[in-house]
Amino acid sequence: MPQNINQPSNQIRLTNVSLVRLKKGKKRFEIACYKNKVLEYRSGVETDLDNVLQIPSVFLSVSKGQTAPIQDLAKAFGPKISVNDIIMEILNKGEMQVGEKERHAQLERVHNEVIDIVAGKLVDPRSKRVYTAGMIDKALDQLSSQGGAAHKPDEGKGSGTATPTNGGPEKEKAKEMPTWTGVVTTKSAKSQALDAMKALIAWQPIPVSRARMRLRITCPPSILKQAAKGPMTKDVQEDVADGGGDKLAGTVKDRILSYVEQVETQDTMGQEWETVGFVEPGAFRGLAEFVGGETKGRGRVEVLDMAVTHEGD
């Protein structure tokens, strides 16, 4: 005769999970998440918790299927905090536990994303041509293998290694320059790509400069003061925030200028407002779509130069 196996009511068996742990008070609490989703949530790629959590419960031990008693949660987090708020705190502040194979896959994915971002934003200043991902990867590998820095081509005519000179001022200057030691999984790909570009530009293991498109943007003045209808994209919000601007800019003019990294000229002539400035190639499509949609075709975005190079940020 078949026998019934009774499983304790506070035990839930889960498999194929990524654990996020947080020690609060004297106890350690865990939540069970889908693999690869925690980093996507923390970076803002994934916003739906149902796609992140395998089950909306807090555990003392996921491997044993032991959920945390309400009394333990109240004692550690406070009696008035909800289980959902506790889960959010663990998800945002907890330490993520992953297996070796998953950790390697995460590192490779972030590494490839960083290389793609850098390769799309740097050019050879002599030819104004972009480098391949392989060349950027090799240059960054050179920096990381030499402790985050490398001699510039015109300086290291000897062995080419990153051995610092004995000169006081030069040595101090080298210490202040940005370095690159490799990709990590604890930071976003975009922030690491910015660090990588700064190190490449500072040390020049290959000749590089940041690439910009030089554009002319025109728009009827009557539209400029109108409130922008479409939401600002996440990438533009981050770029504006990095530049110290107002990421909540709400008028059409403010939104247009949020795409422009450097304004060269800006003027109103009769029934037309015009600005000439520099925009990252990756922002061109979003800017063109925004201007076309907000002005119903009355505004224009013209490319004056495809690759204007800048030596620094």
Side-chain angles (χ1 to χ4, degrees):
M1 295 179 62
Q3 295 181 346
N4 292 327
I5 299 176
N6 295 323
Q7 178 176 312
S9 60
N10 71 329
Q11 284 196 358
I12 303 172
R13 297 291 184 180
L14 295 172
T15 58
N16 195 34
V17 298
S18 287
L19 304 182
V20 181
R21 297 170 175 167
L22 180 68
K23 188 173 183 181
K24 194 83 169 179
K26 296 182 180 181
K27 289 187 178 292
R28 185 184 65 185
F29 300 94
E30 302 177 347
I31 56 175
C33 303
Y34 290 105
K35 286 191 173 183
N36 305 325
K37 286 296 182 179
V38 178
L39 287 178
E40 290 184 7
Y41 174 80
R42 289 180 173 178
S43 65
V45 174
E46 180 61 70
T47 57
D48 189 349
L49 282 180
D50 290 338
N51 294 331
V52 179
L53 300 173
Q54 286 216 13
I55 188 170
S57 298
V58 181
F59 294 82
L60 292 178
S61 174
V62 170
S63 61
K64 296 178 180 178
Q66 184 180 3
T67 56
I70 296 297
Q71 297 88 339
D72 290 354
L73 294 176
K75 185 176 180 180
F77 294 91
K80 296 183 179 180
I81 189 170
S82 66
V83 173
N84 188 62
D85 289 337
I86 293 173
I87 289 175
M88 292 293 293
E89 182 173 344
I90 297 173
L91 186 59
N92 288 316
K93 298 180 180 180
E95 178 185 357
M96 185 169 57
Q97 306 293 316
V98 295
E100 187 62 32
K101 183 181 291 186
E102 185 183 5
R103 186 178 295 109
H104 178 75
Q106 288 176 348
L107 189 63
E108 185 176 3
R109 185 171 58 255
V110 176
H111 174 83
N112 291 339
E113 191 174 347
V114 168
I115 296 300
D116 287 343
I117 294 173
V118 175
K121 295 187 176 182
L122 295 183
V123 296
D124 184 333
R126 300 163 300 187
S127 65
K128 294 187 179 181
R129 293 183 179 273
V130 296
Y131 285 103
T132 64
M135 296 177 72
I136 294 295
D137 194 5
K138 186 176 180 180
L140 287 175
D141 185 60
Q142 180 182 342
L143 290 181
S144 61
S145 65
Q146 296 177 353
H151 279 304
K152 296 182 179 180
D154 59 343
E155 294 176 354
K157 295 183 180 179
S159 63
T161 62
T163 305
T165 61
N166 293 326
E170 292 184 4
K171 189 174 181 180
E172 289 301 319
K173 183 179 180 180
K175 286 182 178 180
E176 296 174 358
M177 294 175 70
T179 59
W180 175 254
T181 55
V183 172
V184 296
T185 58
T186 54
K187 296 174 63 178
S188 71
K190 182 169 183 178
S191 66
Q192 293 185 80
L194 290 174
D195 293 338
M197 287 189 287
K198 290 177 182 178
L200 287 172
I201 291 170
W203 294 100
Q204 297 284 315
I206 55 176
V208 292
S209 294
R210 291 198 66 167
R212 297 291 186 275
M213 297 176 71
R214 185 166 175 262
L215 306 178
R216 176 189 290 117
I217 307 162
T218 58
C219 178
S222 59
I223 298 177
L224 293 177
K225 295 182 180 180
Q226 296 179 7
K229 298 174 183 177
M232 185 179 287
T233 64
K234 183 175 182 293
D235 284 344
V236 174
Q237 286 185 0
E238 290 177 351
D239 289 340
V240 175
D242 290 340
D246 179 8
K247 67 178 181 181
L248 299 179
T251 66
V252 171
K253 180 180 179 180
D254 290 335
R255 193 69 60 83
I256 289 174
L257 293 178
S258 73
Y259 284 90
V260 182
E261 292 200 348
Q262 181 182 344
V263 175
E264 189 176 88
T265 62
Q266 185 179 172
D267 198 7
T268 301
M269 296 172 288
Q271 297 301 311
E272 190 172 73
W273 171 80
E274 176 186 292
T275 184
V276 175
F278 301 99
V279 176
E280 281 197 350
F284 171 72
R285 181 178 177 181
L287 172 60
E289 290 179 350
F290 174 79
V291 171
E294 293 289 332
T295 66
K296 293 181 169 53
R298 297 169 64 191
R300 300 188 307 277
V301 179
E302 303 172 58
V303 178
L304 302 179
D305 196 331
M306 283 296 295
V308 180
T309 58
H310 289 239
E311 293 297 333
D313 291 333

